[in-house]
Amino acid sequence: MIKAERHDLIVAELAKRGAVSVQNLAELLNASSATIRRDIAELDEHNIVVRTHGGAMLQDRNQELPFDAKVMAFHIEKRRIGAMAASMLTPGTTIGLGGGTTVMNMVTAMKKQTLHVVTTAVNVALELRDAPDIDVLLTGGVFRKRTAELVGHVAERTLQDVNLDVAIIGIDGIDLERGLTTYDSAEAFVNRVLISRAREVWILADHSKFGQVRPAIITEVGAISKLITDQNAPAELVAGIEKLGVSVLAA
Amino acid sequence: MIKAERHDLIVAELAKRGAVSVQNLAELLNASSATIRRDIAELDEHNIVVRTHGGAMLQDRNQELPFDAKVMAFHIEKRRIGAMAASMLTPGTTIGLGGGTTVMNMVTAMKKQTLHVVTTAVNVALELRDAPDIDVLLTGGVFRKRTAELVGHVAERTLQDVNLDVAIIGIDGIDLERGLTTYDSAEAFVNRVLISRAREVWILADHSKFGQVRPAIITEVGAISKLITDQNAPAELVAGIEKLGVSVLAA
DNA sequence: CCCAAAACGAGCAAAAATGAACATTGTTGT
DNA sequence: ACAACAATGTTCATTTTTGCTCGTTTTGGG
């Protein structure tokens, strides 16, 4: 059994049970505990799992939300997408972040880095409270209660004053002709401004978003730099997107 | 079973039942009562559960947020001050809110009212997520991690664009000669802007703030309209403040 | 108010897990 | 074929965790 296979199985086991011991995994995978420990350490470095004494778990209980998390759709995929996106950041750069669960997964994975963050999402700011080397600028704006995101002209004007190296946003639908879409038009507009201020645009979207069309258009597919998704994204759609000059990465 | 897993299960059990005994948990998790006690103690240190004699229970929702030590001090007084201030609001008006624990107490007490809120405090916005008839404008700005407040020119500029009926802020010190003061000068400055945009200024301060002087000046005592405090405020200071035209109310 | 049962904290020793160094195996490129 | 390298397993000293004992504190019933 090769390393990558073990890693996959460890993540799969965690997805099922939430936490596993080194011993269990050693038996399950016919590997020595030393190897399992090395595997877990590596997965932890990539922020895919959290290493603990005796084993590994999916998330640090300190940040475990009282609700969902484990119920959330495609949370393993989102976590891996977030971890990959976080690992691709250049230290010291300024990144703009929208809202959404996938982006939040990325934020938890990037806490140890050195960055400047501009965001329209209140949750992102709060999550970064214990990130010692990341400063956070909240755009301000009308507080959307459902998503805890900030919209409107205050958000827009604040964004007009910053330059971003990368804008990273989550979406609800991606379609070759209809572009990147979401449910709320005010949020779509703010995301459009975010995009306009950035040299590069990264989109985070698990495979369930492919081929979906939502009411509010954010931008066209050709306008983005990178699309970070999971292994299950439909191949022909991925090919079509790449043909538009977008680099598609599968976590 | 690894420690982290036990911790998760303890929290899960609490989520279901509200409270559990050490014995129950010991059986359920196949661990000794000593271990369970240590687990609960650790979870309690991280403020995830509340340790009690014989077991553990869920956090008291009213005092759970990130302020810890400060919240406990003068908790009762702050709550009464907050309740009184909330009861004095006129429906439909626009109020500006700063940060701090006393203001937060007021915010929890005003959720059912109909109001427009402008605030520099991220916690205030989140707290009002389930207030159906209050719309919230967050000013934006640099996110101060210690207090979760927003400061800097973005906050200032947003405030320049609004007119407030009342500005309500908490302070760390009030003194006849040295005025209203707080620890952080950036926050003091934002509060000053907040005050400048309002027709009326209400200050919330429990009695421990009287006679205190902190590094950063917000404004002079004569500039405020109402001071809402508790019964234990020193009488001679209150008299001096009233002489400056401030109406002092004791909750 | 008092007493017995239950729960607790602290110290301790056994057990489990870890990290680091080293040996072995397998793979890759030349 | 051979050297360089990565991955894995093994050993051992160290650290962390756990269960137990015992004296003390808290709780709740009479």
Side-chain angles (χ1 to χ4, degrees), chain A residues 134-191:
Chain A
I134 300 182
D135 55 88
V136 179
L137 178 73
L138 252 186
T139 60
V142 172
F143 183 68
R144 272 279 204 274
K145 287 170 184 169
R146 196 178 53 80
T147 57
E149 286 184 55
L150 302 169
V151 299
H153 86 276
V154 171
E156 182 190 356
R157 191 175 58 176
T158 304
L159 286 172
Q160 299 293 4
D161 280 359
V162 295
N163 285 312
L164 306 171
D165 293 308
V166 194
I168 303 171
I169 60 184
I171 54 158
D172 293 313
I174 178 167
D175 181 273
L176 273 176
E177 285 109 45
R178 318 289 282 282
L180 307 169
T181 51
T182 188
Y183 290 101
D184 185 301
S185 72
E187 289 172 16
F189 178 74
V190 169
N191 281 333

Side-chain angles (χ1 to χ4, degrees), chain A residues 140-247:
Chain A
V142 172
F143 183 68
R144 272 279 204 274
K145 287 170 184 169
R146 196 178 53 80
T147 57
E149 286 184 55
L150 302 169
V151 299
H153 86 276
V154 171
E156 182 190 356
R157 191 175 58 176
T158 304
L159 286 172
Q160 299 293 4
D161 280 359
V162 295
N163 285 312
L164 306 171
D165 293 308
V166 194
I168 303 171
I169 60 184
I171 54 158
D172 293 313
I174 178 167
D175 181 273
L176 273 176
E177 285 109 45
R178 318 289 282 282
L180 307 169
T181 51
T182 188
Y183 290 101
D184 185 301
S185 72
E187 289 172 16
F189 178 74
V190 169
N191 281 333
R192 198 148 66 227
V193 179
L194 202 56
I195 288 174
S196 75
R197 306 303 309 160
R199 292 208 326 256
E200 264 186 57
V201 179
W202 298 359
I203 298 295
L204 310 184
D206 65 72
H207 69 269
S208 73
K209 309 292 165 57
F210 281 72
Q212 300 295 320
V213 177
R214 305 295 174 211
I217 299 174
I218 298 172
T219 187
E220 54 186 13
V221 177
I224 67 180
S225 325
K226 285 191 175 71
L227 170 62
I228 302 164
T229 182
D230 59 73
Q231 306 275 359
N232 298 321
E236 70 278 17
L237 261 172
V238 168
I241 292 166
E242 283 178 323
K243 204 170 292 176
L244 293 172
V246 178
S247 114

Side-chain angles (χ1 to χ4, degrees), chain B residues 50-127:
Chain B
V50 174
R51 204 181 164 189
T52 67
H53 195 90
M57 56 186 288
L58 282 181
Q59 296 276 14
D60 180 349
R61 303 269 177 215
N62 292 327
Q63 62 190 44
E64 78 172 312
L65 284 180
F67 292 97
D68 301 340
K70 265 201 197 170
V71 179
M72 295 310 291
F74 309 107
H75 178 69
I76 310 277
E77 281 95 338
K78 284 179 173 163
R79 191 176 281 210
R80 299 183 65 144
I81 292 170
M84 172 176 252
S87 72
M88 292 163 50
L89 295 168
T90 309
T93 52
T94 300
I95 63 178
L97 296 172
T101 52
T102 315
V103 172
M104 278 304 292
N105 269 291
M106 169 180 181
V107 169
T108 49
M110 67 188 227
K111 282 192 196 177
K112 289 177 196 147
Q113 305 191 37
T114 301
L115 294 163
H116 308 279
V117 164
V118 178
T119 182
T120 60
V122 171
N123 291 325
V124 168
L126 282 176
E127 184 69 24

Side-chain angles (χ1 to χ4, degrees), chain B residues 10-80:
Chain B
I10 290 172
V11 173
E13 194 65 14
L14 275 171
K16 269 202 306 230
R17 323 216 333 224
V20 271
S21 70
V22 170
Q23 277 206 334
N24 284 169
L25 287 173
E27 275 179 54
L28 188 68
L29 307 180
N30 281 320
S32 74
S33 52
T35 299
I36 299 296
R37 261 182 227 108
R38 278 185 278 242
D39 286 340
I40 292 177
E42 200 174 325
L43 288 168
D44 179 74
E45 267 187 33
H46 292 294
N47 293 313
I48 296 168
V49 307
V50 174
R51 204 181 164 189
T52 67
H53 195 90
M57 56 186 288
L58 282 181
Q59 296 276 14
D60 180 349
R61 303 269 177 215
N62 292 327
Q63 62 190 44
E64 78 172 312
L65 284 180
F67 292 97
D68 301 340
K70 265 201 197 170
V71 179
M72 295 310 291
F74 309 107
H75 178 69
I76 310 277
E77 281 95 338
K78 284 179 173 163
R79 191 176 281 210
R80 299 183 65 144

